[in-house]
Amino acid sequence: MGELRLMKGNEAIAEAAIRAGCDGYFGYPITPQSEVMEYLMAEKPFERTGMVVLQAESETASINMLYGGAGTGKMVLTSSSSPGISLMQEGISYLAGAELPAVIVNIVRGGPGLGTIQPSQADYFQAVKGGGHGDYHSLVYAPASVQEMCDHVKLAFDKAFEYRTPVMILSDGAIGQMMEKVVLFDQVPRRTDEEIIKQCPWASNGRPKTRNHNIITSLDLDPAGQERVNLKLQAKYREMEKNEVMYEEIMCEDADYLFVAFGLSARICQKSTDLARAKGIKVGLFRPITLFPFPAIQVSNVGNRVKGILVVEMNAGQMIEDVKLSVGCKVKIEHFGRFGGIIPSPDEVVKALEQKIIGG
Amino acid sequence: MEEQFAKTEIRKPENIVYKKTDLMVDRPLSYCPGCGHGTAHRMLMEVLEEMDIADKTIGVSPVGCSVLAYDFLNIDMLGAAHGRAPALATAIKRLWPNHFVFTYQGDGDLAAIGTAETIHACNRGENITIIFINNGIYGMTGGQMAPTTLPGMRSSTSPYGRDVATMGHPLKITELISHLPGVYYVTRQAVHTPNHVRKTKKAIRKALELQKENKGLCFIEIVSNCNSGWKMTPVQSNKWMEENMFPFYQLGDIKVDGKLIELPKTS
Ligand SMILES: Cc1ncc(C[n+]2csc(CCOP(=O)(O)OP(=O)(O)O)c2C)c(N)n1
Ligand code: SF4
Ligand SMILES: [Mg+2]
């Protein structure tokens, strides 16, 4: 077993990045995720593993630093919170278009605008439906614990390189700030430059006389060429849908009703499930772990066995659209959400289930 | 037959006095005839060839007329989003500290949308080389006003001439960044005559030599023409450039060995 520690979610992200063999972190401070860079600067990974840590002048700069590093085959990470992630959208679109591996962490806070610094899940649409311009998706993980904050970083890097795609970890201010025990995986050595050159023959890191020059770009002025790029990306997304879906089912076997929730909302619903069952209401919880690809078939299988579904989100109803598309219209599906940085209580969620689904 | 004879004769190595560098890809440039971009590309590639560092060089191209520079330069390249080349170059150099890293950017790219990235890369003293092509206009998008457009100069978005009262003054970003301690070498050159071409090439060589020594950021502005955007013939545009651009953007070194050079007063 790995090393056991009590850590904040944001710190777990940072420590996991060092241990995963990350080559560079580029970021700009914003609450509630500033601990990621603070931890890294204090931890001096440049001495521990040789990892570069740089405070950029803006999120626009950080995401483009990611693009630069990723284009040379290096393993790069940034983290931010909602307004900063909005600024990064052009860059994320470029990463997707140029097929570059990079990991972006969004510790979501309430919006729109400057909003609040309290936790929220209101960036679901932005994360899952593309976010920037053009037809693309990032692979999106939604951790629900500090342990998953740690584990998803390693997973995200693996998948970013496997698919040559931007991967987003969509968390929120509560998971970022809360402390839990976490089992840290062992240090993975950083790849040597020679290993990178071998692993990433597409990367622009200096052309030896033995090969043609590599070009990292998302531009193809020829519409036929650009359509080919798009078809390639779409084929990649279909592969992800086939192979990368992750989800969790809790007490779904005998359930009459179902909560569907991700991230922090799923943690709350876990308690709500216990409370409801104590009252004699047989409810289960379905938790998507990947938000793109969405576990459409899996939620449909469970969802079509129950009498009603309550989708619980800390937003005004975003993932519910994907739940409805997946489950169809034979089952009643309602939404319960708090927003603007308010975390719903487990009791509130049970009450909403009783009012909107059971009584409604 | 005579032609064939001439060819073999000329191709003897001892007869070659000049040859296009192999670091320029053998394909037609996308630039308007008479444009300075192509010459600037060639100078850069000749220096890489002479220093024999092509395999250790990573270039970053901008969004602008030179967006396709990566198609012409036979080295590993990355195409940046508009204005962000210095951010890419920062990360690349930090992650590959033994490589040579340069950006190649236009005035809209470097001095408008990318001002923040430019200034902060300079201020951090990144060990990169920035090649800045100042043609006083947005060439690629069809001749709109640039941050460097001269007062009174016409463009498609300043059709009656740049009115500094409402459109702002031309930005001398090169002088601006020269004051930053992270910047080691700053020079302003041109590529419209053989003499200027030679000086530009020397400057590029110097910048890359300094990069090897990790001296800090080196910044080379090349004042260049945009005959299409300026709506002139190539010959007219070069004359106009000498008469109008050079008095405002004076050629020569601005900072050498980390020390500012006293320049004569500009008009
Ligand atoms: C975010 C964004 N905004 C605007 C553009 C459109 N655009 C492309 S090139 C350009 C100006 C380029 O001018 P400059 O940098 O001076 O280069 P030149 O073509 O003159 O060499 C603009 C505005 C873009 N591609 N991306
Ligand atoms: S539009 Fe201007 S800058 Fe662009 S290629 Fe033509 S002359 Fe050169
Ligand atoms: Mg220009």
Side-chain angles (χ1 to χ4, degrees):
Chain A
M1 198 168 107
E3 186 186 341
L4 184 69
R5 270 207 230 164
L6 183 67
M7 294 184 106
K8 278 189 176 193
N10 288 335
E11 295 168 347
I13 293 265
E15 180 60 32
I18 302 172
R19 290 181 181 232
C22 177
D23 296 306
Y25 172 92
F26 305 89
Y28 186 82
I30 183 171
T31 310
Q33 66 75 53
S34 295
E35 293 84 359
V36 178
M37 188 166 31
E38 287 168 355
Y39 181 95
L40 286 172
M41 286 296 190
E43 198 55 34
K44 296 189 184 168
F46 19 95
E47 287 172 11
R48 255 174 75 181
T49 66
M51 174 183 171
V52 169
V53 186
L54 181 64
Q55 178 167 339
E57 60 271 32
S58 68
E59 291 86 353
T60 308
S62 346
I63 195 71
N64 285 286
M65 288 172 180
L66 238 62
Y67 183 96
T72 66
K74 294 273 177 169
M75 191 185 276
V76 284
L77 172 78
T78 188
S79 63
S80 185
S81 180
S82 309
I85 298 287
S86 290
L87 259 185
M88 290 184 190
Q89 291 304 320
E90 183 197 29
I92 299 174
S93 170
Y94 271 66
L95 286 167
E99 297 196 87
L100 296 183
V103 178
I104 301 129
V105 179
N106 185 359
I107 305 295
V108 183
R109 56 191 254 180
L114 198 50
T116 163
I117 57 171
Q118 301 303 325
S120 162
Q121 296 182 317
D123 296 355
Y124 178 93
F125 281 152
Q126 186 196 52
V128 170
K129 306 296 178 183
H133 59 285
D135 268 321
Y136 78 92
H137 289 283
S138 304
L139 181 51
V140 183
Y141 292 106
S145 63
V146 174
Q147 184 66 56
E148 281 188 341
M149 291 284 256
C150 166
D151 297 343
H152 286 183
V153 168
K154 187 153 180 284
L155 183 64
F157 277 127
D158 288 346
K159 295 301 166 185
F161 276 85
E162 185 178 333
Y163 289 91
R164 280 182 60 189
T165 187
V167 179
M168 181 169 282
I169 295 177
L170 188 73
S171 187
D172 66 73
I175 298 175
Q177 294 292 330
M178 73 187 185
M179 291 185 96
E180 287 187 308
K181 65 174 191 248
V182 50
V183 180
L184 297 165
F185 55 87
D186 292 338
Q187 179 69 48
V188 180
R190 277 181 58 237
R191 299 160 303 159
T192 63
D193 287 353
E194 290 67 36
E195 285 166 344
I196 290 169
I197 289 164
K198 220 167 141 205
Q199 186 195 352
C200 308
W202 46 265
S204 280
N205 42 35
R207 176 183 69 84
K209 293 192 171 70
T210 46
R211 69 156 163 83
N212 285 332
H213 62 158
N214 284 339
I215 297 169
I216 300 296
T217 183
S218 59
L219 176 75
D220 195 333
L221 290 167
D222 167 30
Q226 192 55 253
E227 187 175 56
R228 275 196 296 279
V229 170
N230 271 272
L231 289 170
K232 191 174 169 208
L233 291 180
Q234 291 305 316
K236 183 151 84 176
Y237 303 143
R238 300 296 87 78
E239 271 309 293
M240 289 180 193
E241 284 165 354
K242 239 189 322 186
N243 303 323
E244 300 309 329
V245 167
M246 285 169 62
Y247 61 97
E248 187 183 16
E249 290 178 18
I250 297 172
M251 288 188 270
C252 288
E253 304 80 31
D254 64 341
D256 293 327
Y257 303 99
L258 190 66
F259 292 128
V260 181
F262 71 93
L264 184 66
S265 293
R267 283 295 282 277
I268 295 160
C269 285
Q270 226 173 307
K271 180 76 182 167
S272 306
T273 306
D274 294 340
L275 293 176
R277 286 204 172 237
K279 282 176 140 186
I281 306 166
K282 278 204 226 161
V283 61
L285 167 62
F286 185 96
R287 174 170 81 96
I289 297 173
T290 50
L291 301 181
F292 182 86
F294 190 72
I297 297 164
Q298 295 80 358
V299 76
S300 167
N301 288 343
V302 183
N304 276 297
R305 293 202 305 258
V306 299
K307 294 181 207 155
I309 299 172
L310 188 69
V311 181
V312 182
E313 302 176 78
M314 282 151 52
N315 60 42
Q318 299 193 16
M319 183 179 69
I320 188 173
E321 292 191 2
D322 289 325
V323 177
K324 281 185 170 173
L325 276 171
S326 308
V327 175
C329 48
K330 291 198 204 103
V331 181
K332 181 170 185 173
I333 304 175
E334 293 289 341
H335 185 263
F336 177 69
R338 296 296 304 266
F339 12 98
I342 293 183
I343 303 173
S345 74
D347 291 313
E348 253 184 296
V349 173
V350 176
K351 209 184 281 166
L353 176 73
E354 289 172 323
Q355 285 171 356
K356 292 187 167 200
I357 300 292
I358 302 173
Chain B
M1 247 175 58
E2 232 174 60
E3 247 174 56
Q4 212 175 14
F5 176 75
K7 231 178 190 173
T8 43
E9 177 78 0
I10 285 168
R11 282 191 178 186
K12 279 189 183 159
E14 62 267 31
N15 292 335
I16 290 180
V17 289
Y18 183 80
K19 166 179 166 291
K20 193 182 82 177
T21 161
D22 292 335
L23 292 181
M24 287 298 291
V25 175
D26 214 359
R27 66 189 290 173
L29 297 171
S30 53
Y31 304 113
C32 307
C35 174
H37 270 305
T39 315
H41 284 12
R42 189 162 50 82
M43 287 314 105
L44 184 54
M45 289 305 104
E46 283 184 5
V47 170
L48 296 188
E49 184 171 57
E50 284 162 24
M51 289 175 74
D52 195 21
I53 55 170
D55 60 334
K56 284 258 170 290
T57 303
I58 305 171
V60 184
S61 59
V63 177
C65 273
S66 47
V67 67
L68 294 176
Y70 51 63
D71 280 340
F72 311 128
L73 312 184
N74 197 5
I75 55 168
D76 275 4
M77 299 272 298
L78 297 92
H82 195 21
R84 315 303 171 205
L88 272 70
T90 293
I92 296 168
K93 184 69 185 188
R94 296 216 177 202
L95 293 164
W96 300 85
N98 297 323
H99 279 51
F100 294 84
V101 180
F102 71 85
T103 73
Y104 184 104
Q105 304 175 256
D107 38 31
D109 194 84
L110 181 142
I113 195 167
T115 310
E117 284 76 10
T118 302
I119 287 182
H120 285 280
C122 288
N123 194 46
R124 285 189 302 262
E126 300 294 344
N127 280 305
I128 59 172
T129 302
I130 293 182
I131 312 272
F132 167 39
I133 307 293
N134 177 10
N135 55 15
I137 205 152
Y138 286 9
M140 188 197 207
T141 37
Q144 294 84 8
M145 185 178 74
T148 46
T149 298
L150 296 178
M153 182 174 163
R154 285 173 207 271
S155 74
S156 67
T157 51
S158 59
Y160 309 107
R162 182 177 194 156
D163 168 25
V164 293
T166 57
M167 299 167 176
H169 294 265
L171 180 60
K172 287 189 178 171
I173 192 139
T174 307
E175 276 79 356
L176 205 99
I177 59 95
S178 70
H179 289 270
L180 301 172
V183 177
Y184 191 75
Y185 171 53
V186 182
T187 189
R188 185 183 278 125
Q189 302 293 337
V191 288
H192 67 306
T193 72
N195 186 30
H196 287 96
V197 167
R198 272 193 291 275
K199 282 191 187 155
T200 297
K201 189 171 163 183
K202 246 195 191 145
I204 295 172
R205 171 113 194 188
K206 184 179 168 96
L208 288 167
E209 303 274 9
L210 289 168
Q211 189 174 148
K212 193 155 54 179
E213 295 169 33
N214 287 328
K215 289 288 192 188
L217 196 135
C218 295
F219 193 102
I220 299 171
E221 173 177 336
I222 298 173
V223 182
S224 189
N225 62 343
C226 174
N227 35 289
S228 294
W230 297 354
K231 312 246 179 294
M232 296 173 199
T233 66
V235 174
Q236 279 171 345
S237 74
N238 283 342
K239 188 155 178 283
W240 190 89
M241 178 167 69
E242 285 178 343
E243 287 167 1
N244 298 275
M245 295 283 277
F246 291 174
F248 193 86
Y249 299 111
Q250 290 194 355
L251 304 188
D253 288 344
I254 296 171
K255 194 177 196 179
V256 178
D257 296 338
K259 287 185 208 73
L260 286 167
I261 306 271
E262 259 325 308
L263 272 182
K265 274 250 174 292
T266 56
S267 57

